[in-house]
Amino acid sequence: QVQLVESGGGLVQPGGSLRLSCARSGSISGIVSRGWYRQAPGKQRELVARISSVGNIDYADSVKGRFTISRDGAKNMMYLQMNSLKPEDTATYYCNVGRRSLITGTRSEYWGQGTQVTVSS
C-alpha cells in the first residue's frame, strides 16, 4: 500500500538545474530517514542526500553545495533541487524512506521506481 513515486527527471545540459519530486502515498510509521539515492550504469547505488528523523542532513561530498534536499510534511512530498549539474551526475535517482518497527525495532526500506537524470551537451 505504501508507494513512493519520483518525477522531474530529464535531459539537461552541464551547468543546468533540475528539481526532482517524490510523492508518498500510504502511511509509514517509525520513519528514521528520508533521502535520495542514485545509481549510474555499472556502478553501485550511492547516497545523494538524506534527512534523519531528528533533522540532520547528510550530502554526498560530490554534491555538496550544488544539491539541496527538502520536504513538505503536509503534502507528503520530498524534493531534490539539483544545480550546476555535471555529466557525472547522470544516473537513475531513487526516493527512499527508512523506517524502524515500533514493535520490534527492525529496520526496513521503501524505494520509488526511479527517475532518470541525464546531463549531457
Side-chain angles (χ1 to χ4, degrees):
Q1 290 182 314
V2 174
Q3 187 174 28
L4 303 176
V5 179
E6 303 95 336
S7 62
L11 174 64
V12 295
Q13 296 183 340
S17 297
L18 209 59
R19 187 196 192 206
L20 305 184
S21 298
C22 173
R24 172 174 64 85
S25 61
S27 178
I28 303 176
S29 62
I31 293 174
V32 295
S33 67
R34 302 172 174 86
W36 290 92
Y37 291 73
R38 68 186 181 187
Q39 186 168 23
K43 295 185 177 181
Q44 295 187 28
R45 183 174 57 194
E46 65 174 348
L47 171 70
V48 176
R50 177 174 57 198
I51 305 172
S52 77
S53 61
V54 295
N56 296 325
I57 299 178
D58 295 317
Y59 291 98
D61 288 341
S62 60
V63 308
K64 287 181 179 178
R66 300 188 298 120
F67 290 11
T68 303
I69 187 172
S70 62
R71 60 182 291 266
D72 184 337
K75 297 181 180 296
N76 290 329
M77 296 289 293
M78 184 168 64
Y79 308 96
L80 183 68
Q81 179 65 47
M82 305 184 293
N83 299 324
S84 301
L85 284 162
K86 305 174 180 180
E88 47 265 48
D89 294 318
T90 296
T92 300
Y93 285 71
Y94 298 91
C95 179
N96 168 267
V97 175
R99 70 175 296 268
R100 179 188 295 117
S101 171
L102 300 179
I103 300 175
T104 68
T106 301
R107 291 178 176 268
S108 60
E109 305 278 343
Y110 292 93
W111 296 93
Q113 82 291 341
T115 185
Q116 178 66 38
V117 172
T118 302
V119 185
S120 176
S121 59

